[in-house]
């Protein structure tokens, strides 16, 4: 009996110990087989995600470049329009207003200096001397002004053709220089020489062509490209540089002023002589009431027309700065070339090359 009483607490302790151990032990985990599938890498070359990213980046860059080009073209066009308005429209308006305001005063002043017989001759003009004088002077002015306008317009046309040819040759030189010199130590120097040529030669419309052509060979960026790419004998870039120099010479020859400034001055003189004959006619008819007002209006229109023709001819005579010149077209042509030069220069810079660890 007493043995049974001793075994009961021992059995209870063992049962309690077993229950505590079972409750404290964590439940067994059920392992599940999971098959991992490799995801396509977004950085793998040629993957769809990479091509989409490239297209997105290229599209954004193209949009930014197009926006920059439009802004630059608008700025250049606005500057040229304002310059042309100041040099053409403003003198035309001033000449028109001055002709309308001062015609009657000038006619009355001329009448006050003439005697009665001379005034009677001016009124009758039996021999039509003044009319023949106006006809001859007007014909001379028309012939000279027309020939000057035609010559200057043909010169502008030649400049356009020369610029298109030269920019095409410059792009060919850039592509050939990249193919020949890419990866070589002097490749950045060759790109710098092309950039200097575009900036200091092709874009400089404000410098006389003869001064650009008289540059020393040591300061010629095209000569520097020849020395960089030639070792002993001329390289294959020589032919492209030769063609570019020929196009450059044609452009400089087309831009050289062939119509002298003295010709512009003589045109102004002929216009002044023709216009001064009208106040002389007005002096003979100043006694008729209301005639001077009508003649003042017609004389003002005539002054404005002559000034407009002369200023347009002088605007064509200018090398740059107006809507009749090649500034805007040259900027559009050179924009892509300069952008390509900048991108290739950044790619060829030492900081752009990957570093090895």
């Amino acid at each position: 009996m007493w043995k049974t009483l001793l075994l009961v607490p021992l059995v209870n302790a063992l049962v309690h110990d077993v229950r505590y151990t079972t409750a404290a032990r964590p439940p067994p985990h059920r392992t599940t087989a999971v098959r991992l599938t490799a995801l396509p890498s977004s950085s793998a070359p040629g993957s769809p995600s990479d091509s989409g990213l490239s297209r997105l980046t290229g599209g954004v860059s193209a949009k930014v470049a197009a926006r920059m080009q439009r802004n630059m073209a608008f700025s250049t066009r606005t500057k040229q329009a304002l310059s042309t308005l100041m040099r053409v429209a403003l003198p035309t308006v001033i000449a028109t207003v001055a002709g309308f305001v001062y015609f009657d005063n000038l006619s009355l002043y001329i009448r006050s200096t003439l005697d009665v017989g001379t005034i009677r001759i001016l009124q009758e003009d039996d021999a039509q001397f003044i009319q023949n004088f106006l006809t001859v002077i007007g014909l001379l002015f028309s012939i000279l002004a027309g020939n000057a306008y035609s010559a200057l317009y043909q010169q502008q046309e030649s400049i356009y053709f020369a610029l298109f040819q030269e920019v095409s040759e410059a792009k060919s030189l850039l592509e050939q220089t990249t193919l020949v010199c890419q990866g070589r130590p002097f490749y950045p120097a060759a790109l710098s020489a092309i950039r200097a040529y575009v900036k200091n030669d092709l874009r400089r419309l404000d410098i006389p062509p003869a001064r650009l052509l008289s540059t020393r060979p040591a300061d010629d960026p095209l000569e520097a490209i020849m020395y960089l790419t030639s070792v002993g004998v001329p390289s294959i870039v020589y032919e492209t540089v030769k063609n570019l120099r020929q196009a450059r010479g044609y452009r400089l020859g087309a831009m050289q002023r062939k119509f002298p400034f003295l010709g512009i001055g003589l045109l102004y003189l002929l216009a002044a002589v023709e216009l001064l004959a009208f106040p002389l006619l007005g002096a003979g008819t100043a006694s008729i009431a209301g005639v001077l007002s009508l003649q003042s209006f017609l004389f003002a229109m005539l002054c404005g027309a002559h000034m407009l023709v002369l200023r347009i001819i002088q605007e064509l005579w200018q090398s740059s700065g107006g809507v009749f010149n090649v500034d805007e077209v040259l900027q559009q042509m050179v924009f892509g070339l300069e952008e390509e030069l900048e991108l290739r220069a950044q790619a060829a810079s030492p900081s752009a090359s990957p570093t090895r660890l």
Side-chain angles (χ1 to χ4, degrees):
M1 177 64 69
W2 60 273
K3 291 182 179 179
T4 304
L5 294 175
L6 290 176
L7 288 174
V8 171
L10 181 60
V11 172
N12 291 334
L14 290 175
V15 172
H16 182 270
D17 189 23
V18 170
R19 288 179 179 177
Y20 177 79
T21 306
T22 305
R25 184 185 304 170
H29 293 282
R30 180 176 297 177
T31 58
T32 305
V34 179
R35 186 175 61 181
L36 299 179
T37 304
L39 297 176
S41 175
S42 61
S43 60
S47 61
S49 58
D50 179 70
S51 60
L53 182 60
S54 301
R55 285 196 301 268
L56 180 61
T57 307
V60 172
S61 301
K63 290 180 180 179
V64 172
R67 189 182 301 112
M68 289 177 57
Q69 187 174 6
R70 286 195 301 268
N71 293 337
M72 293 176 62
F74 178 76
S75 176
T76 304
R77 193 180 300 114
T78 304
K79 188 183 300 183
Q80 288 180 341
L82 292 177
S83 177
T84 303
L85 286 176
M86 293 296 295
R87 294 189 296 194
V88 176
L90 184 60
T92 301
V93 173
I94 292 176
T96 303
V97 173
F100 181 78
V101 171
Y102 292 104
F103 176 78
D104 52 353
N105 296 329
L106 188 58
S107 298
L108 293 175
Y109 175 76
I110 294 176
R111 184 181 178 87
S112 64
T113 59
L114 301 177
D115 54 5
V116 179
T118 306
I119 294 175
R120 184 178 57 81
I121 293 175
L122 290 176
Q123 288 177 349
E124 297 176 358
D125 194 16
D126 296 331
Q128 296 184 349
F129 176 77
I130 298 180
Q131 293 183 5
N132 294 332
F133 172 78
L134 286 175
T135 302
V136 173
I137 293 297
L139 182 61
L140 289 175
F141 177 78
S142 301
I143 292 174
L144 293 179
N147 290 335
Y149 181 86
S150 177
L152 293 173
Y153 188 82
Q154 290 178 1
Q155 183 179 1
Q156 292 292 327
E157 186 178 1
S158 301
I159 293 174
Y160 277 106
F161 289 143
L163 283 175
F164 274 99
Q165 182 179 359
E166 186 174 2
V167 172
S168 301
E169 292 292 342
K171 290 184 177 180
S172 299
L173 177 62
L174 175 60
E175 295 171 358
Q176 195 167 13
T177 303
T178 302
L179 291 175
V180 173
C181 307
Q182 191 173 15
R184 299 188 179 184
F186 55 84
Y187 179 53
L191 293 178
S192 299
I194 298 177
R195 188 186 298 111
Y197 157 73
V198 173
K199 180 180 179 181
N200 301 326
D201 195 319
L202 184 58
R203 273 186 168 273
R204 297 305 299 269
L205 300 176
D206 55 333
I207 299 179
R211 187 186 304 175
L212 288 175
L213 193 60
S214 63
T215 305
R216 298 183 306 168
D219 300 331
D220 189 3
L222 299 180
E223 190 76 15
I225 296 175
M226 287 291 301
Y227 280 117
L228 288 172
T229 58
S230 301
V231 180
V233 294
S235 65
I236 59 175
V237 186
Y238 173 77
E239 191 67 26
T240 307
V241 174
K242 177 183 176 182
N243 295 334
L244 181 57
R245 280 182 168 175
Q246 290 178 353
R248 174 177 177 262
Y250 184 67
R251 187 251 306 175
L252 294 178
M255 292 186 63
Q256 181 63 39
R257 287 178 177 173
K258 303 171 182 63
F259 194 81
F261 183 75
L262 181 61
I264 302 291
L266 291 177
L267 287 177
Y268 275 96
L269 180 61
L270 280 176
V273 171
E274 182 181 1
L275 292 175
L276 285 177
F278 287 92
L280 186 61
L281 289 175
T285 59
S287 59
I288 304 175
V291 174
L292 285 180
S293 299
L294 179 60
Q295 290 179 348
S296 298
F297 178 76
L298 296 177
F299 182 73
M301 296 297 103
L302 194 60
C303 289
H306 278 72
M307 182 59 69
L308 179 63
V309 171
L310 291 173
R311 296 306 297 181
I312 289 178
I313 291 176
Q314 192 168 356
E315 193 72 12
L316 287 172
W317 182 76
Q318 298 286 340
S319 59
S320 62
V323 296
F324 296 95
N325 305 118
V326 297
D327 299 63
E328 182 183 357
V329 177
L330 178 61
Q331 182 177 358
Q332 291 180 358
M333 288 191 296
V334 176
F335 180 81
L337 180 61
E338 290 179 337
E339 186 181 12
E340 188 69 21
L341 275 170
E342 185 67 25
L343 292 176
R344 297 191 183 189
Q346 291 178 1
S349 61
S351 59
S353 59
T355 57
R356 294 184 179 179
L357 298 177

